Amino acid sequence: MALTREEREQFLAQPHVAALAVATQDSDRAPLNVPIWYQYAPGGDIRVLTGRTSRKAELIAAAGRFSLLVDRVEPTVRYVSVEGPVTETRAATRADLEEMAARYLPAEKVAGYVDFAWQDHGEQVVIRMRPQRWVSSDLGQV
């Protein structure tokens, strides 16, 4: 059964690890599909952080859009897939990294992770996507 707008937005707002997919220009390669942390609040844009010179960032810049898929299997099988255009790409700040890490990590792990990532991951960018097309379902308990 398809989710209502409120249900799908609330589900997407939870801290799932998403699968990000973006088209490639190469005819001999499938779309890039990788796990990623993201941020979303109902009614807003989706934000992801990635390396400024990563393949993911380059493909997103070329395509101008990407999709995310989040799912779960407990207590019911549920998923939300969302796709849309990129509305902004900007340099990430340490505060962006702290906010994202705090969404996924226990409070006592955030500072250590941020210190490590800020020093070792290289320049990061925030990419903002406006949700345009949604596919969602709750398959119940199968």
Side-chain angles (χ1 to χ4, degrees):
M1 169 159 277
L3 302 175
T4 67
R5 178 181 179 151
E6 182 178 327
E7 289 171 329
R8 72 184 186 208
E9 288 185 348
Q10 289 297 323
F11 184 72
L12 190 62
Q14 297 169 3
H16 301 282
V17 174
L20 181 148
V22 60
T24 64
Q25 303 283 326
D26 304 325
S27 61
D28 63 334
R29 292 190 73 169
L32 177 69
N33 192 350
V34 295
I36 196 165
W37 290 352
Y38 67 95
Q39 291 179 299
Y40 175 74
D45 289 347
I46 293 168
R47 290 178 291 151
V48 298
L49 272 76
T50 191
R52 184 181 60 78
T53 60
S54 68
R55 181 166 183 253
K56 180 173 32 216
E58 291 171 356
L59 290 173
I60 291 171
R65 61 192 317 107
F66 63 93
S67 65
L68 289 182
L69 170 68
V70 298
D71 66 341
R72 72 169 192 213
V73 295
E74 294 288 335
T76 61
V77 177
R78 179 177 278 199
Y79 70 88
V80 171
S81 178
V82 61
E83 178 256 332
V86 171
T87 59
E88 176 187 34
T89 301
R90 64 170 175 79
T93 65
R94 189 175 177 97
D96 292 321
L97 184 56
E98 289 169 350
E99 184 181 358
M100 185 71 75
R103 177 172 160 85
Y104 288 93
L105 298 175
E108 68 275 7
K109 302 281 186 181
V110 172
Y113 172 79
V114 169
D115 288 343
F116 162 76
W118 191 251
Q119 183 158 351
D120 292 349
H121 287 176
E123 289 183 61
Q124 300 280 302
V125 291
V126 175
I127 302 172
R128 185 179 294 266
M129 179 256 278
R130 176 141 312 124
Q132 188 176 61
R133 293 185 185 92
W134 297 76
V135 178
S136 63
S137 186
D138 190 319
L139 305 175
Q141 297 194 355
V142 285

